[in-house]
Amino acid sequence: MPTSNTTRQMGLVSQILFILCSVLIIDTLTAAAALGTGVIGWWIVTLLFFVIPYALIAAELGTSYPSDGGIYSWVKRAFGLKMAARTTWLYWINVGLWMPAVYILFAGMVAELFLPDLSLGWRVAICIALIWLTVGFCNVSVHVGVWVSQLGALLKIIVITTLGGTGFYYAMQHGMANDLTLRSMLPSLEGGVSFLPAIIYNLLGLELIACLGKTLKDPVHTMPRAMIGASIIIAALYLFGTLGILAALPVEKVGLIAGITDASRILFADSPWADALVSGLGILVLLTLISNMVNWTMGSSRAAAEAAEAGELPAYVARRHPKYGSPVGANTVTGIVATLVILAYALLAQSNDELFWSVFAFSSTIFLMPYLLLFASFLRLRRQDPLTPRAFKAPGNRIVMAMMTTSGLLFVLGALLLFLFPQLPEGQIEWQTSAPLLIGLLLTLGVGEWLVSRSLATSTTQQLDAQTN
């Protein structure tokens, strides 16, 4: 029986850092900034009507139904085995689909900073090496992964506060690169919905800490504080970092891959150590990308392993490390999927930005779907399981709970549709862009349905054989 060292439990500060590392996503910070100054107002709207309800709901679910399964356990209680297995499949496999996009950005930044002539082949090789480095981190003791996440959180805070602080300093010296008046930052419906996917994507992941339930110190009391406290810090840092980039770089010059390095070159232009500062900040960003993937792989694989142990995913996924108890089976599958995706998209994409956005948009559609069931599970469990003690209970009556759940569902559903059909606000659908994403989504759902049905059938047969014998 695998064992793991759980004597060093995560307290409140460690949990907040873990959540910060999970949710703060520097690789899409420039994507939000590229949307223009109006994104600031939409950040605030999303904070009020999505982040706060989401944090309260996740905190109640995590403390009322604690386990390493996290979202899997909540959906299982609310909607049964098969729906929980489907949810876990999407929650887990999206990491393997998303990881290539993150490491494409990593390779692009390496080229931008140090190796401008780096070929696509070498970039893909870097991505594959980083994929298996991530798997290696996740296969050892959970405390190694937690240490990586804490370091990553601190580095992300340094990067974002540096961008924001130097951005304001730059504005004082040279004036703003964009019009950052109150009027320009107010949210508007005209084009406003185009901000939704990037913003919602940047704010998801608060619940990932629940997948480490056995390693948390006094989770009933610390987890709600960690989720709510981290959500406030995250929103403030995103706003601060976005303002920093917009202060230094005109919107039309913000790129998906080189946005942070371009902004930092302008911010540090007056310094005699400009090149060293740009390179140093770039290296910190690169390290945060690795920590982010370690976090998500570690959390999602544990949820997948718990589902596999219940016979709802293939038995291989349930394999654990004999010493550390880490989910080596799930981690290995994640690495294989990520490797295949990076190889496939390397053959199809024309440029680094295109390669990044293609993989990112596809993985994001998979990533968002489990959150529809997270919000639905909360409302269903509130109504059908009122007797379970709730050490932390989201405030409000049934009407408030229904409004919170509906708000969360609408935000996630809107982001999902806009990832699939980005031209929908203009009343158009460009099938050249949308069709590959839709086909990929349907194929992922189909593979998951086949695996779940096959695994459940095998598990049922084994249980019947055991009873017969």
Side-chain angles (χ1 to χ4, degrees):
M1 179 69 68
T3 59
S4 61
N5 178 12
T6 59
T7 57
R8 292 176 292 165
Q9 293 184 308
M10 297 171 63
L12 178 61
V13 174
S14 295
Q15 291 178 47
I16 289 175
L17 289 174
F18 184 91
I19 296 171
L20 288 176
C21 187
S22 302
V23 181
L24 278 175
I25 305 176
I26 294 179
D27 45 307
T28 54
L29 188 64
T30 52
L35 297 170
T37 55
V39 76
I40 303 299
W42 283 102
W43 273 119
I44 296 171
V45 169
T46 308
L47 171 65
L48 295 175
F49 296 101
F50 178 74
V51 177
I52 292 176
Y54 167 42
L56 293 172
I57 286 171
E60 179 173 322
L61 289 171
T63 52
S64 302
Y65 307 100
S67 76
D68 280 359
I71 191 172
Y72 158 77
S73 300
W74 310 333
V75 176
K76 187 175 182 178
R77 285 178 176 269
F79 297 106
L81 289 174
K82 197 162 189 176
M83 191 60 73
R86 291 169 178 147
T87 302
T88 305
W89 160 253
L90 294 171
Y91 195 69
W92 166 52
I93 207 62
N94 97 84
V95 177
L97 301 172
W98 170 37
M99 194 182 297
V102 175
Y103 288 146
I104 288 165
L105 176 64
F106 186 106
M109 287 191 66
V110 169
E112 178 73 17
L113 289 167
F114 308 113
L115 300 168
D117 298 324
L118 191 66
S119 67
L120 179 61
W122 275 110
R123 295 184 190 208
V124 170
I126 290 172
C127 292
I128 293 173
L130 290 170
I131 287 168
W132 290 102
L133 176 65
T134 302
V135 171
F137 273 126
C138 295
N139 280 344
V140 296
S141 169
V142 65
H143 300 295
V144 174
V146 169
W147 178 84
V148 171
S149 73
Q150 291 175 348
L151 176 61
L154 293 173
L155 294 179
K156 289 182 180 187
I157 292 170
I158 292 171
V159 170
I160 293 177
T161 54
T162 299
L163 288 172
T166 52
F168 284 116
Y169 178 78
Y170 181 91
M172 291 172 61
Q173 301 295 317
H174 304 281
M176 288 285 186
N178 297 284
D179 179 22
L180 289 176
T181 61
L182 179 61
R183 184 176 181 179
S184 71
M185 292 187 288
L186 287 175
S188 64
L189 292 177
E190 184 179 354
V193 289
S194 64
F195 303 155
L196 189 64
I199 294 175
I200 296 300
Y201 180 88
N202 278 3
L203 292 168
L204 292 173
L206 294 175
E207 79 296 332
L208 193 66
I209 189 68
C211 294
L212 302 180
K214 294 177 183 177
T215 68
L216 305 183
K217 184 177 181 180
D218 191 16
V220 169
H221 296 100
T222 57
M223 192 190 300
R225 296 175 188 174
M227 287 185 179
I228 296 169
S231 65
I232 295 171
I233 296 171
I234 287 162
L237 286 171
Y238 271 140
L239 285 170
F240 196 58
T242 303
L243 283 170
I245 293 174
L246 290 173
L249 207 63
V251 170
E252 61 273 13
K253 293 185 179 180
V254 179
L256 293 174
I257 298 296
I260 291 177
T261 53
D262 286 346
S264 60
R265 283 195 177 101
I266 295 175
L267 290 171
F268 300 133
D270 296 336
S271 171
W273 307 287
D275 290 341
L277 290 171
V278 170
S279 297
L281 190 68
I283 290 170
L284 294 185
V285 173
L286 294 176
L287 293 174
T288 68
L289 299 181
I290 297 173
S291 70
N292 209 56
M293 292 300 15
V294 170
N295 248 38
W296 275 97
T297 304
M298 185 168 59
S300 64
S301 289
R302 286 176 180 275
E306 186 159 314
E309 287 165 355
E312 297 154 19
L313 286 175
Y316 179 81
V317 178
R319 283 186 58 202
R320 299 271 186 174
H321 193 285
K323 180 179 179 181
Y324 302 118
S326 54
V328 293
N331 291 334
T332 301
V333 175
T334 298
I336 292 171
V337 170
T339 302
L340 293 175
V341 169
I342 190 65
L343 291 173
Y345 274 91
L347 297 175
L348 300 175
Q350 298 296 317
S351 69
N352 211 45
D353 270 13
E354 181 183 343
L355 180 57
F356 169 80
W357 186 256
S358 297
V359 182
F360 171 68
F362 172 50
S363 66
S364 297
T365 62
I366 309 299
F367 174 62
L368 288 167
M369 294 191 73
Y371 289 92
L372 297 173
L373 283 160
L374 182 149
F375 287 103
S377 295
F378 167 74
L379 195 60
R380 188 178 182 91
L381 289 170
R382 262 295 188 95
R383 292 175 176 176
Q384 295 191 357
D385 187 26
L387 298 180
T388 292
R390 286 166 168 79
F392 174 84
K393 193 172 185 179
N397 56 24
R398 289 187 176 183
I399 295 176
V400 174
M401 293 303 99
M403 291 174 62
M404 287 173 56
T405 305
T406 302
S407 179
L409 286 169
L410 289 176
F411 269 93
V412 174
L413 184 61
L416 177 62
L417 289 174
L418 288 170
F419 267 125
L420 285 171
F421 307 107
Q423 291 78 32
L424 200 59
E426 289 80 38
Q428 301 176 1
I429 295 178
E430 292 186 7
W431 287 107
Q432 185 177 0
T433 301
S434 298
L437 299 177
L438 194 58
I439 291 170
L441 175 60
L442 293 175
L443 284 174
T444 303
L445 291 172
V447 171
E449 191 67 21
W450 176 75
L451 285 174
V452 168
S453 298
R454 185 172 178 270
S455 300
L456 286 172
T458 302
S459 177
T460 301
T461 302
Q462 290 174 347
Q463 290 176 5
L464 290 173
D465 290 343
Q467 292 174 0
T468 302
N469 295 331

